[in-house]
């Protein structure tokens, strides 16, 4: 798929990305902002699995001249739009909860700490999952050296030099998509009550003590 066409798909999302926080904030302004996050998680998990289906469909949708039909681009755009709705729902709800429980006595320090921990918890799994993709993917050189596993750049180049090509037998992306889908719903099942209990705590429970005595 041409990179320039994928880049163009980001243009229609700009006004959506601007409008979504404004719209979602109307539902997170109440006393229970985390309800929005809990409701958005299943949709985000399903869309993540749907992305894997789109990737699987891509080779069959590709036309003879190497291009993709317009309906496939529309499908990607709609899927990405729905994904952004779920992402922003979770993000805005999380920010609203942090703002709600932050102690005004110490200004933005409390809010900064909560947001830093939230961002850390949301970013390191992405890095780890991307790092694990290659390890979960199994390839083999077809038409070259049979023992070549195409596990690195050098082995891929060697396979091509001997007239072969690297064939993927197990794609780590699909394994991770299914695994994360299952883990996500398990987390929601076991941790939903804990999130609700945190949300139901009195605001005084989140205040910093004024004295150590």
């Amino acid at each position: 798929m041409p990179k320039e066409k994928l880049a163009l798909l980001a243009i229609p999302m700009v006004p959506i990305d601007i409008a979504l926080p404004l719209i979602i904030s109307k539902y997170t302004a109440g006393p229970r902002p985390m309800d929005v996050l809990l409701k958005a998680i299943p949709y985000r998990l399903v869309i993540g699995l749907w992305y894997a289906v789109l990737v699987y469909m891509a080779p069959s949708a590709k036309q003879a001249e190497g291009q993709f039909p317009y309906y496939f681009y529309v499908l990607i755009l709609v899927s990405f739009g729905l994904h952004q709705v779920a992402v922003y729902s979770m993000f805005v709800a999380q920010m609203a909860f942090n703002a709600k429980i932050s102690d005004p006595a110490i200004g933005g320090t409390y809010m900064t700490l909560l947001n830093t921990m939230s961002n850390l918890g949301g970013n390191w799994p992405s890095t780890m999952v991307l790092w694990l993709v290659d390890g979960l993917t199994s390839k083999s050189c077809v038409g070259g050296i049979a023992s070549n596993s195409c596990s690195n750049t050098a082995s891929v180049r060697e396979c091509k030099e001997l007239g072969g090509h690297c064939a993927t037998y197990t794609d780590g992306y699909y394994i991770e998509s299914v695994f994360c889908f299952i883990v996500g719903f398990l987390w929601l099942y076991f941790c939903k009550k804990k999130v609700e209990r945190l949300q139901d705590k009195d605001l005084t429970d989140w205040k910093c003590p004024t004295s150590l005595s």
Side-chain angles (χ1 to χ4, degrees), residues 12 53 56 75 113 120 125 158 169-170 200:
V53 175
Y56 183 79
L75 200 57
L113 174 64
L120 180 63
E158 181 184 13
Y169 294 104
T170 305
D200 292 335

Side-chain angles (χ1 to χ4, degrees), residues 14-80:
V14 172
I16 297 177
D17 290 342
I18 295 173
L20 276 176
L22 299 175
I23 297 172
I24 296 169
S25 62
K26 296 180 180 179
Y27 300 96
T28 58
R32 300 179 60 85
M34 294 300 282
D35 286 352
V36 176
L37 181 141
L38 293 173
K39 291 177 181 177
I41 289 177
Y43 295 100
R44 187 173 180 180
L45 291 172
V46 170
I47 294 170
L49 197 61
W50 168 244
Y51 275 162
V53 175
L54 278 179
V55 173
Y56 183 79
M57 289 169 51
S60 60
K62 191 175 183 179
Q63 297 174 340
E65 61 275 13
Q67 299 296 323
F68 286 85
Y70 285 108
Y71 77 83
F72 195 73
Y73 289 107
V74 172
L75 200 57
I76 293 175
L77 186 61
V78 172
S79 301
F80 185 60

Side-chain angles (χ1 to χ4, degrees), residues 39-203:
K39 291 177 181 177
I41 289 177
Y43 295 100
R44 187 173 180 180
L45 291 172
V46 170
I47 294 170
L49 197 61
W50 168 244
Y51 275 162
V53 175
L54 278 179
V55 173
Y56 183 79
M57 289 169 51
S60 60
K62 191 175 183 179
Q63 297 174 340
E65 61 275 13
Q67 299 296 323
F68 286 85
Y70 285 108
Y71 77 83
F72 195 73
Y73 289 107
V74 172
L75 200 57
I76 293 175
L77 186 61
V78 172
S79 301
F80 185 60
L82 293 174
H83 178 261
Q84 289 299 93
V85 171
V87 168
Y88 274 98
S89 296
M90 295 175 65
F91 175 75
V92 175
Q94 180 179 282
M95 291 288 290
F97 177 72
N98 291 343
K100 172 189 170 185
I101 66 174
S102 294
D103 190 346
I106 56 175
T109 306
Y110 201 145
M111 182 76 171
T112 302
L113 174 64
L114 292 173
N115 288 334
T116 300
M117 298 304 295
S118 298
N119 292 332
L120 180 63
N123 289 333
W124 74 262
S126 302
T127 304
M128 184 186 68
V129 165
L130 288 174
W131 179 72
L132 288 173
V133 169
D134 287 340
L136 295 172
T137 300
S138 60
K139 298 180 181 179
S140 180
C141 182
V142 178
I145 302 176
S147 59
N148 190 333
S149 61
C150 297
S151 58
N152 52 53
T153 305
S155 59
V156 171
R157 183 171 59 251
E158 181 184 13
C159 178
K160 291 181 179 179
E161 289 174 352
L162 294 175
H165 68 278
C166 292
T168 302
Y169 294 104
T170 305
D171 196 324
Y173 170 69
Y174 299 118
I175 296 174
E176 289 190 348
S177 295
V178 175
F179 176 77
C180 291
F181 177 81
I182 295 172
V183 170
F185 272 103
L186 287 175
W187 182 93
L188 184 63
Y189 178 80
F190 288 107
C191 297
K192 182 178 179 180
K193 296 296 182 182
K194 294 181 181 179
V195 174
E196 291 175 342
R197 283 198 297 270
L198 287 173
Q199 181 173 233
D200 292 335
K201 280 182 173 293
D202 193 273
L203 291 179

